[in-house]
Amino acid sequence: MDAAGSQVADECAQYAEQCRSGFIITQGGNLLCSKIIHLISNNQVKSQVSKVLHECEQKLYKSVAFPAIGTGRAGQSPAKVADEMLDAIVEFARQKSVQHLQTIKIVIFQTNMLTDFYESMKKRADSDSATTESWLSMIKSFFWGNKQSSEKKKFMILEKKVDLVTFQICGESQEKVDATESWIKDLILKEQFENTISDEAIESFDETQIAILEDLQRRKQVTIQLLNKLSPPQITISGISRDVCSVSLEVQEMVQQVKSTEEEQFKAELLYNLVEWRYPGSNDGFFAFDKLTNMQLEHAKMAKKVYLNVKIKKKNYQVDLNTLKATDDQGKTINLQRVIKDEGK
């Protein structure tokens, strides 16, 4: 209050009797903020934080900074306060109606409380990894988020929206502040892991694979970089170790699927140079099947199968591989052709 100035103290005295919601709002006074929200002391930290957040959203405020509420004269447990504050923030952030409040900061003056808030965030990551953004990743983005963006490397970083949680570290000297920041970074790095997958098939990733990678980023606590200008191309996965491992397995499966598809396409191309299956079109003409369907028909015939289901002009047909007749769902039959391309040579 001393730092805010006498004007703020006068406003508090003026509005104190009008308080109905558990807090009053005054001008920022001498502080570097536009408004100050003064809370009426009680033990319901989660409720207080929730009310403030919703008030900020209603007032169209873009940012808000909290102290570790109740850990001073109220004497509440820092671990309990950390849990309740983070519970309120997570519940608020999950609401789809939130549009205006973009930045929520927690300012901690006592270095011993950092462990309580860190453990609280870690607990959330462990218990709800499928739906909650990694708090550890958010803190890491705060400390290092802008370093890589300045480097003009030839690779694509998949888009991932990360809401930042900010700790403002205050101390008696710059040396102590630096030591605390270093300690936090060490804690973060202990939870981080990175894995790189290199394969020529990555160069063939299209919009389908990119969409899958983006979905993995949203669902898991990882960041994925696609370095497709390298030889061989690489995918780098970084984040919480357990999620890096599971995502790496899924990416490996994607790479294998792409390689299998490419092999099938190559085989289909070779076979198409030898034999071509055709279906009737307009004006008594015939059109060639696509190369994969062409290979399926030929392989089925070579395996002495009797029937094979295919699509012709988006309609389902059952092909009799002995008579080369195809029948649709309504019983209409058409004649197919099987042309050996080296005949007559």
Side-chain angles (χ1 to χ4, degrees):
M1 188 66 74
D2 292 337
S6 59
Q7 179 185 352
V8 173
D10 293 341
E11 283 190 74
C12 287
Q14 178 184 349
Y15 298 135
E17 295 181 359
Q18 303 174 17
C19 178
R20 296 289 184 272
S21 56
F23 59 83
I24 58 176
I25 301 177
T26 68
Q27 298 300 316
N30 298 329
L31 300 182
L32 297 178
C33 60
S34 60
K35 302 288 182 181
I36 302 175
I37 300 177
H38 305 264
L39 298 175
I40 307 301
S41 178
N42 64 47
N43 293 327
Q44 306 301 319
V45 174
K46 180 179 177 181
S47 175
Q48 287 185 310
V49 172
S50 181
K51 287 180 180 180
V52 170
L53 293 174
H54 284 91
E55 181 71 12
C56 290
E57 178 66 13
Q58 291 177 6
K59 297 290 187 182
L60 309 184
Y61 298 156
K62 292 184 178 180
S63 65
V64 62
F66 291 93
I69 298 172
T71 58
R73 293 182 181 179
Q76 295 197 55
S77 163
K80 173 180 176 292
V81 168
D83 285 342
E84 293 194 20
M85 292 188 71
L86 295 178
D87 282 344
I89 292 171
V90 169
E91 290 178 9
F92 176 80
R94 285 176 174 171
Q95 297 177 17
K96 295 181 180 180
S97 60
V98 176
Q99 297 180 353
H100 305 287
L101 187 58
Q102 300 175 359
T103 303
I104 302 171
K105 296 183 179 181
I106 301 176
V107 182
I108 300 176
F109 296 97
Q110 300 87 346
T111 56
N112 60 302
M113 290 188 188
L114 290 174
T115 301
D116 296 303
F117 278 81
Y118 171 81
E119 291 299 332
S120 183
M121 290 185 290
K122 182 181 177 183
K123 181 168 57 180
R124 277 160 183 75
D126 291 339
S127 63
D128 196 14
S129 60
T131 57
T132 303
E133 287 284 4
S134 168
W135 291 95
L136 301 176
S137 297
M138 293 179 187
I139 300 174
K140 185 180 180 183
S141 298
F142 167 62
F143 283 115
W144 296 287
N146 296 325
K147 290 186 177 180
Q148 291 183 346
S149 61
S150 63
E151 299 176 10
K152 296 182 179 179
K153 296 181 179 179
K154 292 184 177 180
F155 62 81
M156 177 178 63
I157 300 178
L158 301 178
E159 291 294 330
K160 182 176 184 181
K161 180 180 179 181
V162 178
D163 298 321
L164 301 183
V165 171
T166 302
F167 282 128
Q168 292 183 340
I169 306 171
C170 302
E172 297 176 355
S173 66
Q174 185 63 43
E175 181 181 357
K176 290 185 177 181
V177 171
D178 293 342
T180 302
E181 180 179 346
S182 177
W183 176 73
I184 294 175
K185 288 180 179 180
D186 289 341
L187 288 177
I188 294 170
L189 291 174
K190 288 178 182 178
E191 299 294 330
Q192 299 298 302
F193 183 67
E194 183 174 285
N195 185 40
T196 298
I197 299 171
S198 302
D199 200 291
E200 294 292 347
I202 295 174
E203 189 175 6
S204 300
F205 274 26
D206 58 19
E207 293 180 356
T208 300
Q209 283 78 38
I210 297 301
I212 294 174
L213 293 177
E214 290 175 340
D215 180 63
L216 286 172
Q217 284 196 133
R218 284 190 294 268
R219 292 188 294 106
K220 302 289 187 177
Q221 301 175 23
V222 298
T223 297
I224 301 175
Q225 292 181 348
L226 177 59
L227 291 80
N228 51 7
K229 297 297 183 181
L230 298 181
S231 182
Q234 296 179 356
I235 290 177
T236 299
I237 306 160
S238 57
I240 303 298
S241 57
R242 64 171 182 276
D243 283 339
V244 170
C245 292
S246 65
V247 170
S248 296
L249 290 175
E250 294 190 51
V251 173
Q252 289 281 16
E253 290 180 3
M254 290 171 56
V255 170
Q256 188 57 47
Q257 289 174 358
V258 169
K259 293 173 71 173
S260 298
T261 298
E262 289 182 339
E263 290 174 4
E264 287 295 293
Q265 291 173 342
F266 179 70
K267 293 177 182 177
E269 183 73 33
L270 291 177
L271 186 59
Y272 184 75
N273 293 326
L274 301 175
V275 59
E276 181 178 288
W277 286 73
R278 302 171 180 173
Y279 60 89
S282 57
N283 300 326
D284 297 327
F286 280 80
F287 295 97
F289 282 95
D290 66 85
K291 293 174 183 179
L292 287 177
T293 303
N294 185 80
M295 182 174 67
Q296 291 169 1
L297 286 164
E298 186 63 20
H299 284 175
K301 185 169 181 62
M302 292 298 98
K304 297 183 179 180
K305 292 184 178 180
V306 180
Y307 299 106
L308 181 70
N309 294 323
V310 300
K311 282 187 178 293
I312 301 175
K313 297 179 179 179
K314 298 182 179 181
K315 294 179 62 176
N316 295 320
Y317 281 84
Q318 184 182 67
V319 178
D320 186 322
L321 295 166
N322 292 321
T323 64
L324 302 189
K325 294 182 181 294
T327 305
D328 65 13
D329 295 335
Q330 285 72 44
K332 181 181 177 180
T333 299
I334 59 175
N335 293 316
L336 305 183
Q337 291 182 347
R338 176 176 176 267
V339 179
I340 306 299
K341 289 190 175 183
D342 60 354
E343 281 185 344
K345 293 185 179 179

